[in-house]
Amino acid sequence: MAVNVAEVTEVGSDDERRPLMSAGNIAWMNLGFFGVQFSFGLTQTAVNPLFLLLGADAHSLPILNIAGPITGLLIQPFIGAMSDKTWSPRWGKRKPFVLGGGLVCVIILFLFPVVTALWMAVICLWLVDAGNNTAMEPYRALISDRLRKTQIPRGFLTQSLFTGAGAVLANVSLYVFQQAITGATDAGVPYWVFVCFWLGAVCCLVTISIAMVRTKEIPPTDEELAEIRSKSKGPVATIAEIAEAVKVMPIGMHKIGLAFLFQWYAMFIYWQFVSVSVAESVFNAAPDTPGYEEAAGWTGLMNGAYNFVTMISALFLLPLCQRFGGKRVHAGTLALAGLSLAALSQINNQILTLVPMIGLGICWASMVGVPYLMVASMVPRERTGVYMGILNMMIVVPMLIQTITFGWIFENFLDSRGTNAIMLAGVLLLFAAMAMLWVNAPRADEESPVVPLAGRREITVYDRVVVGSDGSPSALYAVARAHEVAAAAEARMVVVSAYDPGTDAQRKEQVDGRRLLYGEKAARDAMRTSVKELTSERIRDIEQVVVAAKPAEALLRVAGRNPASLIVVGNRGLGAREGEVLGSVPGEIVKKAVCDVLVVQTSALHEEV
């Protein structure tokens, strides 16, 4: 008899309200990251050369870049917490902040190139960073809000792809337009800067608008809405909420702080001094000489290269993290980037400067994806905004320390040479890798379910755990044991309810030592009873399968011929004969299955337990 699958769905009490999204819709939702990252890429690559062209000294670059850390420290956690407490039937929860921040970016990107003095450029940097920070964390929280747990990895992977693509276009456009467009304003601002920033403004406007229009937020439940309305939205209450969230945040978030200290201090050095380093080692030019503009354009191409590598490597990081653990994968990419920057500081060939960008691009894919994915899977959905902001605080505090301290270090210990600064950045990334390996694994109940921090699985041989249930206490006991095995193996769990399509009038007292379910409705009722307590988020996803078949046949067909499956079955059904050790259903399964079978001792249970 063929097994007719009546229903196969992913379940989860919090996921039922979230329809599964297609890959195309997930891509549309993330499209706005292209524009946001284009804006961020311009501030990474073009702003520091622009400062130097407007008369800034190289050792002043860290303090001139203090806008990023300060705005990130003040705005992102505050905006994240505010977005957690916001709901508008027309605008949604996260969209007002994404759209508002994006609009600020668009306006300032249009105005940035027309600056005529250094102080004007600094003010524009503050404003564009404020816009970026207002949009970024609510946007990341939107991904977690909208997707089911099992789709969150795809969501953040797609974000990394668009992030890399936006940065690629930003940096490549800097190089291309710098080569194609000559001339400058009276203030010394090259005309190619105008084209790049105005292109960034258009990209930001178009991509964010399309993404927000096409993405529908999930309305809160009545209980969630009442909680949102009951919370105070004043600044003092929001600050207190951030402080409380820091106090109770998962241990996994605490433990990446030291690695972030080295990591982001190093990256801020790289962004500020890579053009100075390349100008020294390849073009034999200083910031105040004609050859520096060519070095700045080439640096844009280098940054575009590492972001292109980011797009590609993002495809491979998630399975590596699931197998080896987030901390090991991230530590490996940090070490690779550290060696790459150390090599870059010694290279004097223009083409060869692109080679270290491979290692940096792989690491950047991890930096912009893995930590956010971990946090999204660790914290409650309703607090995602504030915790994304707190994670950003761990990023901007090292950057703030760098802006305050590195100018003095650069002048007094590094001989005011960009190559020495890049070498130090490489060494700090190696320290970050060691710090990441030093992180202890969290307790099992605090481990990230989607991207584990430690990567240890108690059971590694099973991908699917299949269990049958008729909703009875002994069946629920077997389901609970299957649930524990699936959690330990981080495997997909499949709950099967088999039924006889006949009528209730055809019911027999016993069939094969157990009570059969008659009709699809009875099977669905049994399924609801079976899965309502399965709340462990360590399971990748749970399938419900309702089939018209005999119990043994249903389990064997669903398990298939995959040796990586495990069938969990009770040793005998309810109503089985006294003294029977192994019922006919588990006996048939043990005899015919090609995969492992776990027989759970249910014969001692009484139906009233």
Side-chain angles (χ1 to χ4, degrees):
M1 178 173 65
V3 178
N4 300 313
V5 180
E7 179 181 358
V8 180
T9 57
E10 298 174 77
V11 298
S13 57
D14 192 44
D15 279 348
E16 290 177 347
R17 296 186 295 118
R18 293 170 169 81
L20 286 169
M21 294 185 72
S22 66
N25 286 334
I26 292 176
W28 283 116
M29 180 174 64
N30 282 277
L31 179 63
F33 279 105
F34 182 92
V36 173
Q37 192 62 27
F38 194 114
S39 171
F40 185 61
L42 289 175
T43 62
Q44 282 181 318
T45 304
V47 167
N48 287 302
L50 184 59
F51 284 164
L52 294 171
L53 291 170
L54 290 171
D57 297 323
H59 63 80
S60 301
L61 289 179
I63 199 66
L64 292 175
N65 280 269
I66 201 171
I70 290 293
T71 55
L73 182 65
L74 298 179
I75 290 178
Q76 289 209 21
F78 189 84
I79 291 296
M82 288 295 295
S83 69
D84 287 339
K85 300 183 291 184
T86 298
W87 174 254
S88 166
R90 180 177 181 181
W91 297 104
K93 185 174 187 177
R94 314 290 184 183
K95 285 183 182 180
F97 301 94
V98 178
L99 292 170
L103 181 61
V104 171
C105 289
V106 170
I107 294 172
I108 302 304
L109 288 175
F110 268 112
L111 296 177
F112 216 129
V114 302
V115 299
T116 58
L118 180 61
W119 65 268
M120 296 173 66
V122 172
I123 290 176
C124 284
L125 178 61
W126 276 83
L127 293 174
V128 78
D129 273 337
N132 274 328
N133 283 300
T134 299
M136 186 64 78
E137 297 317 309
Y139 203 161
R140 289 194 174 107
L142 173 63
I143 296 176
S144 180
D145 289 345
R146 180 59 186 84
L147 296 175
R148 292 188 175 185
K149 284 286 187 181
T150 55
Q151 289 194 306
I152 286 178
R154 180 187 289 272
F156 280 95
L157 170 64
T158 307
Q159 174 212 310
S160 295
L161 293 175
F162 279 109
T163 295
V168 167
L169 181 59
N171 288 289
V172 171
S173 66
L174 286 171
Y175 176 75
V176 172
F177 292 131
Q178 187 265 341
Q179 298 292 318
I181 301 175
T182 60
T185 65
D186 293 339
V189 179
Y191 290 133
W192 57 268
V193 172
F194 286 74
V195 180
C196 291
F197 276 81
W198 290 349
L199 176 62
V202 172
C203 286
C204 201
L205 176 64
V206 172
T207 59
I208 292 177
S209 299
I210 292 175
M212 293 302 101
V213 168
R214 291 186 63 100
T215 302
K216 305 299 182 184
E217 293 195 66
I218 301 298
T221 63
D222 292 339
E223 294 77 8
E224 291 171 341
L225 190 57
E227 185 177 356
I228 289 172
R229 290 172 175 170
S230 67
K231 290 182 178 179
S232 174
K233 296 177 174 60
V236 175
T238 301
I239 293 171
E241 183 181 349
I242 295 171
E244 178 63 23
V246 171
K247 187 184 302 183
V248 302
M249 69 182 179
I251 192 171
M253 288 186 65
H254 285 280
K255 292 184 175 184
I256 61 176
L258 181 60
F260 270 28
L261 177 63
F262 294 115
Q263 168 185 312
W264 292 107
Y265 195 108
M267 289 305 298
F268 226 41
I269 294 175
Y270 170 81
W271 291 326
Q272 292 168 2
F273 289 94
V274 62
S275 62
V276 179
S277 175
V278 172
E280 292 172 358
S281 62
V282 176
F283 294 90
N284 296 315
D288 55 353
T289 62
Y292 178 73
E293 187 176 335
E294 186 179 358
W298 181 254
T299 300
L301 185 64
M302 291 169 56
N303 288 341
Y306 89 69
N307 281 285
F308 179 78
V309 174
T310 293
M311 293 171 55
I312 304 302
S313 55
L315 299 171
F316 306 103
L317 282 180
L318 181 61
L320 288 176
C321 287
Q322 290 175 331
R323 180 172 181 180
F324 299 107
K327 78 168 188 178
R328 294 186 180 91
V329 171
H330 193 52
T333 63
L334 287 169
L336 180 60
L339 295 174
S340 298
L341 291 191
L344 176 63
S345 69
Q346 305 302 309
I347 292 175
N348 56 19
N349 180 280
Q350 184 174 350
I351 299 299
L352 288 181
T353 57
L354 297 175
V355 176
M357 297 300 99
I358 298 174
L360 186 61
I362 294 172
C363 184
W364 186 241
S366 181
M367 288 182 186
V368 300
V370 174
Y372 296 100
L373 184 50
M374 286 182 177
V375 172
S377 57
M378 288 178 185
V379 303
R381 287 187 191 270
E382 64 272 12
R383 306 295 303 281
T384 303
V386 67
Y387 278 113
M388 288 293 180
I390 291 170
L391 183 65
N392 192 70
M393 290 174 62
M394 297 180 183
I395 296 172
V396 300
V397 167
M399 290 182 175
L400 181 59
I401 295 172
Q402 191 270 351
T403 60
I404 296 172
T405 63
F406 194 72
W408 181 80
I409 294 172
F410 181 71
E411 195 169 3
N412 291 277
F413 289 94
L414 301 179
D415 196 28
S416 296
R417 290 191 58 81
T419 51
N420 292 338
I422 296 300
M423 173 64 78
L424 177 60
V427 172
L428 291 176
L429 287 175
L430 293 175
F431 285 163
M434 290 186 288
M436 199 71 191
L437 289 175
W438 179 70
V439 173
N440 294 327
R443 298 194 308 268
D445 61 342
E446 293 181 328
E447 178 64 285
S448 168
V450 181
V451 176
L453 183 63
R456 287 195 258 189
R457 292 172 59 183
E458 299 172 46
I459 302 174
T460 59
V461 295
Y462 301 126
D463 289 332
R464 299 169 75 241
V465 177
V466 181
V467 62
S469 178
D470 58 8
S472 62
S474 63
L476 296 181
Y477 183 79
V479 170
R481 290 295 176 265
H483 176 262
E484 293 171 3
V485 174
E490 297 178 13
R492 177 190 297 266
M493 184 172 175
V494 185
V495 183
V496 181
S497 284
Y499 68 94
D500 189 312
T503 64
D504 191 69
Q506 298 172 313
R507 178 188 299 273
K508 301 178 182 179
E509 287 296 322
Q510 298 177 19
V511 177
D512 291 339
R514 64 176 58 236
R515 297 173 184 172
L516 284 180
L517 299 172
Y518 285 83
E520 185 177 329
K521 181 179 182 304
R524 292 182 181 276
D525 291 342
M527 179 64 72
R528 280 192 290 270
T529 301
S530 302
V531 302
K532 67 179 180 181
E533 300 298 330
L534 300 182
T535 58
S536 172
E537 294 180 351
R538 285 178 58 85
I539 297 176
R540 290 184 308 202
D541 56 274
I542 304 170
E543 289 184 10
Q544 300 175 58
V545 181
V546 178
V547 299
K550 293 181 178 179
E553 182 182 2
L555 291 172
L556 289 168
R557 292 289 185 89
V558 171
R561 303 190 62 81
N562 182 4
S565 295
L566 173 71
I567 300 176
V568 179
V569 65
N571 68 318
R572 65 188 180 98
L574 291 170
R577 293 184 295 275
E578 184 69 26
E580 184 181 42
V581 177
L582 194 66
S584 58
V585 171
E588 183 178 354
I589 290 174
V590 169
K591 181 179 179 180
K592 296 182 178 180
V594 298
C595 61
D596 289 351
V597 179
L598 173 62
V599 179
V600 178
Q601 183 73 17
T602 60
S603 57
L605 291 176
H606 188 275
E607 191 163 357
E608 295 179 356
V609 175

